[in-house]
Amino acid sequence: MHRSLNLKRVPLEVNMNHIKAVLFDLDNTILDRTRTFDRFTNLFIQNYFQNMESTQDIFNRIIELDQDGYKDTLIQHGKINQLGIRDDFDLIIVSEEAGIKKPDPGIFNMALEKLQLEPKECIFVGDHPVNDIEGAAKAGMETIWIQVNQPWRDEITAKPLHSIRKVGELLEIL
C-alpha cells in the first residue's frame, strides 16, 4: 500500500532563516536513478568491455547487482560523474567509503562535522522515509520528503517539515 504523508505548510520565514546547508540524498532525489544508472552502465561497458561482441549479459548483471542492493563506491562515483555534479557540492559522502549507511545517524553526523554545522542549521532532502527522513531526524535535522516511489509507513515517527513530488518544488520552500 502506497501511503502519502499530508503536511501542513509552515510559514517559511519562521522555519528557514536558520538553515545554512541543504543536504541531499542522491538516488531518486537529485537524479532519476533508473535513467542515470542505465546511462552510467552503458558508458562503463563502452569504456571497459568495448572489444566484446555482446555486452547485454554484463549490462544485465550490473543492473541486477544494483537492484539487489549491491553498492560499490565505483558505481556511486560513476553516477556522480555521469551527472557532472561533483563540483556543484561542497561535500559528497559515499556510504561505502564512510563505512556507515543510512539510516544510521552517524553518516548524517559525519556530514555535519565535515561542514562544521549543527543539526538545526541543516535540512535534509530525501526520498526514503526510513533511510533519509527518519535517519536525518535522529541526527537532529529537519527534513523534506520527496514522494517518489517509497511509501510512508505508519510506524515512522519522524515528521518532515514538507512533502514534495519534485526537487524543483524546493525553490518555493527554501
Side-chain angles (χ1 to χ4, degrees):
M1 171 195 239
H2 190 304
R3 298 185 37 132
S4 65
L5 180 66
N6 295 317
L7 301 168
K8 180 178 151 188
R9 291 223 180 239
V10 182
L12 302 180
E13 59 277 356
V14 173
N15 286 320
M16 299 300 162
N17 288 339
H18 62 283
I19 299 299
K20 294 182 180 177
V22 180
L23 288 73
F24 291 91
D25 172 53
L26 178 64
D27 289 331
N28 289 326
T29 300
I30 293 178
L31 63 84
D32 176 333
R33 185 179 194 294
T34 302
R35 193 176 77 211
T36 303
F37 193 70
D38 283 356
R39 281 195 319 234
F40 163 74
T41 302
N42 281 318
L43 184 62
F44 179 80
I45 289 170
Q46 286 172 8
N47 284 334
Y48 296 102
F49 299 96
Q50 59 191 344
N51 295 329
M52 294 183 70
E53 281 185 39
S54 173
T55 57
Q56 189 62 46
D57 289 340
I58 292 171
F59 179 88
N60 292 343
R61 182 64 177 143
I62 292 171
I63 297 297
E64 178 185 323
L65 287 170
D66 184 62
Q67 289 172 347
D68 287 345
Y70 175 82
K71 299 291 182 206
D72 183 272
T73 302
L74 173 67
I75 290 172
Q76 293 299 87
H77 283 289
K79 289 189 287 187
I80 292 164
N81 292 340
Q82 178 72 25
L83 287 170
I85 61 172
R86 183 169 301 284
D87 296 331
D88 295 336
F89 295 92
D90 295 324
L91 174 67
I92 295 176
I93 296 178
V94 176
S95 59
E96 291 78 17
E97 288 177 342
I100 307 170
K101 293 185 180 217
K102 297 182 294 180
D104 186 324
I107 195 159
F108 299 97
N109 291 328
M110 181 182 293
L112 291 168
E113 184 179 314
K114 289 182 182 224
L115 292 169
Q116 299 180 344
L117 294 172
E118 296 294 319
K120 66 182 179 184
E121 297 174 309
C122 299
I123 193 158
F124 191 87
V125 180
D127 70 300
H128 199 285
V130 174
N131 293 347
D132 297 328
I133 305 307
E134 200 159 67
K138 285 182 180 176
M141 291 184 213
E142 296 290 353
T143 60
I144 296 176
W145 178 43
I146 298 184
Q147 296 179 32
V148 180
N149 60 9
Q150 295 292 330
W152 194 268
R153 298 189 312 237
D154 289 333
E155 66 270 13
I156 298 170
T157 58
K159 300 291 181 232
L161 287 176
H162 298 277
S163 177
I164 60 177
R165 298 227 179 252
K166 295 184 259 181
V167 174
E169 293 176 48
L170 286 173
L171 296 174
E172 296 173 24
I173 296 169
L174 302 174

